[in-house]
Amino acid sequence: MIEKKVFLSGSGLREAFALISPDDRHESPGAQLKGIADELSSLLASEEFSGLRPVMKRWFLSDAANQKPLLPKETECAVSVVEQPSLSRVKAVLWIWLMEGVDYRVWDDGLFTARLGGFTHVFETGLGFRGEDSRKTAELILSAADASLRGLGGTLARNCVRTWFYVRDIDVDYRGMAEGRNRVFERCGLTSSTHFIASTGIGGASADPAVRILFDAYSVIGLGEDAVKYISVPERMNPTHEYSVAFERASTVDYPDRRHLFVSGTASIDRHGKIVCEGDVVGQTRRMIGNVDALLEKAGFSRDDIGYCFVYLRDMADYETVDSIVAREFPDTPYVILLARVCRPGWLVEMECMAVKGKEPDKNP
């Protein structure tokens, strides 16, 4: 089963997203993974996707420790592997981000770069450390990510535009993760008076049980000073620093021929930072979608511009209820609903998305 969305930039280059999942959940894990890989090969060979190259893949697995060794060897793009079971009850789902016209390089230790139009897109995936508490782990992770970017001529504060923190026991370790992130951000000059980074902090696990936090990041080198803008809707959601965490609700990145919007993990929250519709998954899902809609509108995007949605659900018993709402509200958008606890126990559901709009190339990029 393939869900896909293709966008055309103002320069005529395409950008696309796809979600691939097995159509037979009764097959063995190996058969399901092979089926996904085969479908991806067919997709890339199709006329619609000819010339598009994956720049990032994320495997959502139901049992990462046993399934990760079965994954195909990857040599052409960044690969993220996280244990977050799809609630459609398949063993694996593959998400792919593709671009046209990129030159790429695979580095050591999960680092991948793709050059396009004078910009270097940097993907760092699967970063984690064994045997440390969550605060120290977050500090080590972000310091390592900053060091990698400095090796490419960038910095975490100046160039990182999107992060994902997957926390094995989020009810216990999220606060430590947030404290570690705050410490590194303060050292880097990322504060409530400057800016933070669009982010998702969610329940999820590495294949290695000794790793408390798994981290992925996306950065861009070569952007102008005003290319990144930070989106907020204070009438609906308060600034995150008011409850001692450090991320942007959303951010846009402008290129000469397109604009990206990254919507962070968004839940059912109000302008005071309180949970809306506590204990009511239907009400929380509707409020969550309303908050995402507000961020889209503020940034000048619509639902038609969304390339994918990841929906995170705390309780698997709520799957059919939430799936029916999301399917109705986003009928043309690739999405997957994953079993993953949100950072506050009272939040039953959260979603993130990315949107793309083509624009006429700047005359003076």
Side-chain angles (χ1 to χ4, degrees):
M1 296 176 62
I2 300 178
E3 299 176 76
K4 57 187 185 293
K5 197 84 173 275
V6 181
F7 299 91
L8 188 65
S9 73
S11 62
L13 293 174
R14 293 164 299 158
E15 187 167 0
F17 303 90
L19 280 165
I20 306 178
S21 57
D23 56 7
D24 184 354
R25 59 185 174 86
H26 300 292
E27 288 185 320
S28 68
Q32 290 190 33
L33 293 169
K34 183 179 183 303
I36 290 173
D38 289 346
E39 286 296 329
L40 176 59
S41 295
S42 297
L43 181 68
L44 295 176
S46 69
E47 183 176 353
E48 182 183 16
F49 273 65
S50 177
L52 282 162
R53 172 172 286 168
V55 292
M56 184 175 180
K57 298 177 183 177
R58 180 169 291 138
W59 289 93
F60 298 105
L61 304 180
S62 61
D63 180 3
N66 287 302
Q67 294 161 2
K68 185 177 180 180
L70 304 176
L71 294 177
K73 300 300 180 185
E74 182 61 68
T75 59
E76 291 190 343
C77 77
V79 180
S80 170
V81 179
V82 59
E83 183 173 296
Q84 279 183 332
S86 166
L87 285 170
S88 61
R89 294 188 293 170
V90 294
K91 297 290 187 183
V93 173
L94 176 62
W95 167 75
I96 315 103
W97 179 3
L98 309 99
M99 294 181 182
E100 186 176 23
V102 294
D103 295 319
Y104 68 95
R105 177 176 175 181
V106 179
W107 303 70
D108 294 331
D109 301 324
L111 191 66
F112 170 83
T113 57
R115 288 190 56 80
L116 177 64
F119 303 97
T120 300
H121 302 265
V122 184
F123 303 84
E124 187 158 19
T125 54
L127 191 57
F129 293 88
R130 307 179 85 242
E132 299 286 354
D133 64 36
S134 58
R135 180 192 58 76
K136 183 63 175 176
T137 297
E139 290 190 66
L140 289 171
I141 283 171
L142 289 168
S143 296
D146 187 44
S148 294
L149 285 170
R150 287 180 184 278
L152 297 170
T155 67
L156 186 74
R158 189 170 68 249
N159 302 102
C160 188
V161 296
R162 187 66 166 92
T163 61
W164 294 265
F165 293 85
Y166 298 103
V167 185
R168 181 176 291 274
D169 190 347
I170 196 163
D171 290 341
V172 173
D173 285 333
Y174 180 78
R175 178 50 52 191
M177 183 279 289
E179 289 173 357
R181 176 173 59 185
N182 290 349
R183 290 189 183 194
V184 175
F185 279 9
E186 286 172 7
R187 293 198 296 266
C188 291
L190 293 169
T191 70
S192 59
S193 60
T194 58
H195 69 84
F196 296 125
I197 299 169
S199 187
T200 298
I202 198 73
S206 164
D208 183 344
V211 172
R212 291 175 180 267
I213 300 172
L214 191 67
F215 177 79
D216 294 338
Y218 166 63
S219 306
V220 185
I221 296 174
L223 293 170
E225 188 173 329
D226 298 323
V228 182
K229 294 182 173 57
Y230 303 97
I231 309 302
S232 63
V233 282
E235 67 277 13
R236 290 191 66 94
M237 292 180 286
N238 67 326
T240 63
H241 69 84
E242 290 185 359
Y243 47 97
S244 302
V245 294
F247 68 92
E248 296 290 342
R249 296 292 184 190
S251 60
T252 59
V253 183
D254 273 296
Y255 300 95
D257 64 345
R258 72 192 80 183
R259 172 177 291 171
H260 287 164
L261 170 68
F262 297 92
V263 175
S264 299
T266 301
S268 179
I269 193 171
D270 69 10
R271 64 189 180 92
H272 303 294
K274 298 188 182 213
I275 299 169
V276 178
C277 300
E278 194 160 359
D280 174 7
V281 75
V282 172
Q284 287 200 21
T285 302
R286 289 173 176 161
R287 175 70 187 199
M288 171 191 75
I289 292 172
N291 286 345
V292 170
D293 281 339
L295 290 166
L296 287 166
E297 182 179 3
K298 185 71 172 286
F301 287 74
S302 72
R303 290 186 185 181
D304 290 339
D305 302 315
I306 297 176
Y308 71 86
C309 292
F310 299 153
V311 180
Y312 305 105
L313 201 56
R314 185 177 184 88
D315 185 349
M316 64 188 301
D318 291 327
Y319 168 64
E320 291 184 355
T321 299
V322 173
D323 185 50
S324 66
I325 297 172
V326 175
R328 182 172 63 251
E329 296 292 332
F330 300 94
D332 302 316
T333 301
Y335 74 88
V336 59
I337 300 181
L338 303 155
L339 183 62
R341 293 190 170 193
V342 186
C343 62
R344 200 186 299 183
W347 278 328
L348 306 178
V349 61
E350 180 174 297
M351 73 179 289
E352 66 169 82
C353 62
M354 179 180 170
V356 181
K357 287 187 75 168
K359 63 178 187 176
E360 289 301 314
D362 297 341
K363 292 181 181 179
N364 297 299

